Amino acid sequence: MSYYEIQGGRPLSGSLAIHGAKNSVLPILAACLLAPGQSVIHNCPDLSDVSVTLDILRLLGCRADREGDTVLIDASALGRSDIPEHLMREMRSSVIFLGALLARLGTAELSYPGGCELGPRPIDLHLSALRTLGAEIWEEQGALCCCRGQGGLSGREICLSIPSVGATENIMLAACGCPGLTTVVGAAREPEIIDLQNFLRSLGAEVKGAGTPVIAIQGGASLHPAEYRVMGDRIAAATYLCGAAAAGGEVELTGVLPDHLTAVLTCLEEAGCTIHTGPDRIALAGGPSLRSISPVRTAPYPGFPTDAQAVLMAALAGGEGATLFVENIFDSRYRHVDELRRMGADIQVAGRAAMVSGVGRLHGAAVRSPDLRGGAALVVAALGAEGTTQVSGLRHIRRGYQALDKNLRALGADIREVP
């Protein structure tokens, strides 16, 4: 089993271009199903989740080819609407295909999705919304079956009880195939939602309001293939920034919008880092030691992102003073804590709260990635730790980070993958 071997204590230095956003590209690839013909997606990261998505597209009858960071999707021959269990279990966000298939073919069959074990993330909101649009959905032998109801699909107002990103995206995709106006009230506001809207517009869809709590989709428009560039990955950027904060040094990230990371940048500045930003760049200089900051409470965008909670915690664990974290999104997002404790971290967890008392410096240890962001957090901790750390469970990390070890080496880190 392969692992990263990291010799900590080496400051990071240099510039790095951030790859395309995982949480944008997956719904965008699913949206390619809406338009017969070949769409071209640029800045598509080489991640295991993307590979699974391309496998699903091929199984459904699409052509899916990669040339560097460009992916070509030809959905002309889409003729299958069922996704087998083994592919669904590889990736939780595969549920996004439900809305796209319903819009294009009027039917879909898939099992419940898999992915990181972060506690219950039910898809009830997705299913309720699709039923509101006129879909009939039932469970048969462990599979979800979905089709147009007798009255067909039509636009409706849908009020979300929580601003679910996945449900918002699924509604947007399905609504493109629903005649009439669909209004999503209480929609998620994440930048990735705006990215999906921009792609749908490039296909010819009439969508507006992304980035606000109300999104309107005028369905039934004739769609056509498009060429599009995916936004930079703000969570990957947060990870590299936290790595530089933990290890010290100065790094510059390009291809990412600072406005997407306001909550994270505020925390890093409060912890003692110096940050300068430009239109699509972020530069960070780390101080000799990070200090404690005000309580960090995860929240839907524009609040502090739950996906950045673990990497910031890892950086502060090797600093000074005590910081309170409160996880408001997922029930089981502290699975990295036990592994950080192996490295000498002082973290006390009580329900959704975690008190991090900085120990000055962590020490190397053999640790295992519990999930995607938890694995990245262990790498961040290792960069600032004394001695050698071995991080296993790399399959989790590869779901969301392209060439993490190579990129960190380019910034001066002592990291290598051991087969």
Side-chain angles (χ1 to χ4, degrees), residues 230-262:
V230 177
M231 62 176 266
D233 194 313
R234 63 192 175 104
I235 305 303
T239 301
Y240 288 110
L241 292 172
C242 287
E250 299 182 11
V251 299
E252 179 186 59
L253 306 181
T254 60
V256 62
L257 297 180
D259 287 350
H260 291 171
L261 283 164
T262 299

Side-chain angles (χ1 to χ4, degrees), residues 117-206:
E117 297 299 327
L118 299 178
R121 284 195 280 178
I123 60 172
D124 297 1
L125 284 177
H126 302 239
L127 305 184
S128 175
L130 295 178
R131 288 190 175 105
T132 300
L133 295 176
E136 292 184 0
I137 304 173
W138 66 97
E139 187 171 341
E140 188 173 287
Q141 296 181 339
L144 283 173
C145 302
C146 180
C147 70
R148 295 191 187 104
Q150 290 185 350
L153 302 176
S154 59
R156 294 283 190 276
E157 180 177 276
I158 298 172
C159 297
L160 294 178
S161 57
I162 59 172
S164 164
V165 173
T168 300
E169 293 168 342
N170 239 334
I171 296 167
M172 292 170 70
L173 296 184
C176 287
C178 297
L181 177 66
T182 296
T183 304
V184 188
V185 179
R189 300 168 56 190
E190 273 71 4
E192 293 80 7
I193 301 291
I194 299 175
D195 215 23
L196 177 60
Q197 172 182 272
N198 291 341
F199 177 64
L200 291 174
R201 284 177 170 174
S202 72
L203 296 177
E206 298 181 30

Side-chain angles (χ1 to χ4, degrees), residues 77-414:
L78 174 68
R80 184 171 173 176
S81 61
D82 62 305
I83 303 174
E85 181 180 16
H86 75 277
L87 287 176
M88 288 296 298
R89 287 192 175 277
E90 287 291 317
M91 184 179 67
R92 179 169 292 274
S93 53
S94 52
V95 73
I96 200 68
F97 281 98
L98 193 58
L101 287 169
L102 186 64
R104 173 79 184 276
L105 299 178
T107 182
E109 180 180 326
L110 43 82
S111 65
Y112 285 94
C116 282
E117 297 299 327
L118 299 178
R121 284 195 280 178
I123 60 172
D124 297 1
L125 284 177
H126 302 239
L127 305 184
S128 175
L130 295 178
R131 288 190 175 105
T132 300
L133 295 176
E136 292 184 0
I137 304 173
W138 66 97
E139 187 171 341
E140 188 173 287
Q141 296 181 339
L144 283 173
C145 302
C146 180
C147 70
R148 295 191 187 104
Q150 290 185 350
L153 302 176
S154 59
R156 294 283 190 276
E157 180 177 276
I158 298 172
C159 297
L160 294 178
S161 57
I162 59 172
S164 164
V165 173
T168 300
E169 293 168 342
N170 239 334
I171 296 167
M172 292 170 70
L173 296 184
C176 287
C178 297
L181 177 66
T182 296
T183 304
V184 188
V185 179
R189 300 168 56 190
E190 273 71 4
E192 293 80 7
I193 301 291
I194 299 175
D195 215 23
L196 177 60
Q197 172 182 272
N198 291 341
F199 177 64
L200 291 174
R201 284 177 170 174
S202 72
L203 296 177
E206 298 181 30
V207 188
K208 64 180 181 179
T212 77
V214 180
I215 300 175
I217 307 101
Q218 185 67 48
S222 178
L223 303 184
H224 53 75
E227 186 169 357
Y228 190 77
R229 181 176 181 83
V230 177
M231 62 176 266
D233 194 313
R234 63 192 175 104
I235 305 303
T239 301
Y240 288 110
L241 292 172
C242 287
E250 299 182 11
V251 299
E252 179 186 59
L253 306 181
T254 60
V256 62
L257 297 180
D259 287 350
H260 291 171
L261 283 164
T262 299
V264 176
L265 298 183
T266 299
C267 289
L268 289 172
E269 283 187 312
E270 186 180 352
C273 298
T274 300
I275 294 175
H276 297 285
T277 62
D280 66 344
R281 60 176 286 276
I282 302 171
L284 177 145
S289 181
L290 298 178
R291 56 177 178 260
S292 61
I293 62 175
S294 305
V296 179
R297 305 177 190 276
T298 65
Y301 190 85
F304 191 92
T306 181
D307 281 350
Q309 173 253 106
V311 292
L312 179 62
M313 180 183 291
L316 294 178
E320 304 287 347
T323 301
L324 174 67
F325 283 77
V326 181
E327 174 55 56
N328 293 310
I329 307 298
F330 296 125
D331 291 336
S332 301
R333 198 135 212 188
Y334 289 140
R335 299 175 69 215
H336 54 284
V337 167
D338 284 343
E339 299 301 303
L340 288 175
R341 286 173 178 154
R342 293 177 183 270
M343 302 179 68
D346 182 355
I347 306 173
Q348 303 301 317
V349 176
R352 291 184 175 272
M355 180 61 74
V356 181
S357 299
V359 295
R361 191 168 185 186
L362 302 176
H363 57 75
V367 292
R368 182 174 182 80
S369 304
D371 50 53
L372 168 55
R373 305 307 176 185
L378 297 178
V379 173
V380 167
L383 292 172
E386 182 179 9
T388 302
T389 300
Q390 296 176 348
V391 181
S392 59
L394 301 187
R395 66 181 182 86
H396 291 299
I397 295 173
R398 291 184 178 123
R399 290 186 51 237
Y401 296 91
Q402 175 178 298
L404 180 61
D405 55 335
K406 177 182 177 182
N407 290 334
L408 287 172
R409 278 198 301 275
L411 295 176
D414 186 348

Side-chain angles (χ1 to χ4, degrees), residues 16-103:
L16 180 68
I18 296 298
H19 61 67
K22 166 187 177 289
N23 292 334
S24 274
V25 74
L26 301 181
I28 285 173
L29 289 174
C32 289
L33 294 176
L34 299 175
Q38 179 175 282
S39 291
V40 181
I41 311 300
H42 299 292
N43 201 28
C44 183
D46 187 8
L47 312 173
S48 61
D49 272 11
V50 171
S51 296
V52 172
T53 302
L54 297 180
D55 286 342
I56 290 174
L57 289 168
R58 295 183 185 108
L59 180 140
L60 295 173
C62 302
R63 198 185 91 223
D65 300 321
R66 176 186 282 278
E67 298 176 4
D69 71 350
T70 296
V71 168
L72 295 83
I73 306 296
D74 191 333
S76 301
L78 174 68
R80 184 171 173 176
S81 61
D82 62 305
I83 303 174
E85 181 180 16
H86 75 277
L87 287 176
M88 288 296 298
R89 287 192 175 277
E90 287 291 317
M91 184 179 67
R92 179 169 292 274
S93 53
S94 52
V95 73
I96 200 68
F97 281 98
L98 193 58
L101 287 169
L102 186 64

